[in-house]
Amino acid sequence: MPLVYTATVAVRHHELDAWGRVYPAAHLRTVAEVAVAASTAAGFGPQWYEALGAHWIVRRTLARFHRAVGRDATCAVRTWVADFRRVRSRRCYEIRVAGALAVEAESDWVLIDVASGRPRRIPETVERAFDAPSGAASTPRAPWDETLPPVTPRYTPAAVRFTDLDSLRHVNNAAYLDALMEAALAPLAQAGWGVERLGECGLAPFVAACDVEYLEPAVWGEPLEITSWMAPAPGGLEVVQHLGRAGASGPCVRARTRWEWHALAGGETIEAPADLARALAALAAA
């Protein structure tokens, strides 16, 4: 059986959005922190990997956000290693609040050799400790899907902030999701649907799912651009995004997010009001 690690994490005020809900990126930061704690508890903490001359980076994260988590909540977090594939390891997470499932996520972590900057084989001692399937017994990864109806792309300037860097001098994976969310929401405000108007209508956007793949590191100080394709869907939006250098052959990060409209009063999924639906359709065609 996989080695399951549990932790209790209290929601902090700065993790809340304009409607008092935990940001999706804050959930990703929480599970990443718990992953480090789980590895340390098993005997493979940062110092162990430093002596090995290696460190882990996140290659891809998939998450489903089943319900909003609000202020003063206490999160029960579970994590376990699902499998190993030579240089990769898939780790799964659950976040529950008062027993109810709030977040399910999984990340593909890649072990990187510090000296060469290239992936390296995961030590057998690590694989044995976590008792997870490896090689041919591992679970195939879901194929990448960018299928959307034809929509007009929107371009948003972006940049890596110094505060986005972690102790490895890489952009933290959750920081990319923050930037992608900003690029997805900005057109709403520009179309007249800011925080106040949404509040007056009793609804708010909610990220129900995300799939983010980290292909190449972005560098602090370099100009970047986010290309967004936004398509209206029942109860919300489907958004595909690329973050990268303008004119480059491929993105640094690509993502797909599913957005829903949630009632502020009860949190249930609702349809967008007619005026908002027309604004979203206009954004997709503009």
Side-chain angles (χ1 to χ4, degrees):
M1 293 293 293
L3 182 65
V4 178
Y5 180 85
T6 60
T8 300
V9 179
V11 169
R12 294 172 294 181
H13 181 75
H14 68 267
E15 297 173 326
L16 302 175
D17 68 8
W19 294 281
R21 310 168 307 178
V22 175
Y23 282 107
H27 285 307
L28 297 191
R29 291 184 175 96
T30 292
V31 297
E33 184 69 22
V34 172
V36 173
S39 184
T40 301
F44 306 102
Q47 291 182 334
W48 190 89
Y49 281 106
E50 185 176 349
L52 182 67
H55 62 250
W56 292 94
I57 63 169
V58 177
R59 170 72 176 187
R60 183 179 181 184
T61 293
L62 296 90
R64 292 185 62 196
F65 305 96
H66 296 282
R67 64 189 71 245
V69 177
R71 69 180 74 251
D72 301 325
T74 298
C75 300
V77 186
R78 298 175 71 246
T79 182
W80 62 96
V81 174
D83 62 32
F84 293 101
R85 296 180 68 181
R86 285 183 49 79
V87 301
R88 292 191 181 194
S89 176
R90 184 165 58 97
R91 179 174 279 277
C92 297
Y93 316 91
E94 286 184 355
I95 298 177
R96 293 179 180 270
V97 176
L101 182 62
V103 181
E104 289 180 288
E106 61 179 65
S107 292
D108 240 5
W109 292 79
V110 179
L111 188 63
I112 300 295
D113 182 79
V114 172
S116 67
R118 299 179 61 82
R120 66 179 286 178
R121 183 72 166 83
I122 299 169
E124 291 184 4
T125 52
V126 175
E127 293 191 7
R128 287 197 301 267
F130 289 99
D131 194 23
S134 62
S138 61
T139 304
R141 273 44 173 177
W144 184 258
D145 180 18
E146 291 193 347
T147 307
L148 276 183
V151 291
T152 303
R154 305 184 69 85
Y155 303 95
T156 306
V160 173
R161 304 173 302 176
F162 181 78
T163 52
D164 293 330
L165 303 179
D166 59 21
S167 61
L168 299 175
R169 300 178 185 176
H170 295 150
V171 178
N172 181 272
N173 65 298
Y176 285 120
L177 185 56
D178 279 331
L180 295 168
M181 282 188 59
E182 180 65 27
L185 289 173
L188 284 179
Q190 295 163 7
W193 285 88
V195 172
E196 292 78 10
R197 187 173 181 186
L198 289 169
E200 291 169 359
C201 293
L203 78 163
F206 178 80
V207 177
C210 72
D211 185 354
V212 188
E213 189 170 23
Y214 312 95
L215 303 172
E216 184 181 339
V219 179
W220 173 44
E222 66 179 351
L224 301 169
E225 186 175 67
I226 298 174
T227 306
S228 303
W229 295 266
M230 305 171 64
L237 286 171
E238 291 284 346
V239 182
V240 170
Q241 294 173 293
H242 289 179
L243 182 152
R245 303 168 185 89
S249 58
C252 298
V253 177
R254 58 185 182 180
R256 182 175 189 133
T257 49
R258 164 73 183 180
W259 296 71
E260 295 176 348
W261 300 106
H262 280 197
L264 291 177
E268 68 275 11
T269 302
I270 58 176
E271 292 294 331
D275 289 352
L276 177 55
R278 284 193 292 269
L280 293 172
L283 288 173

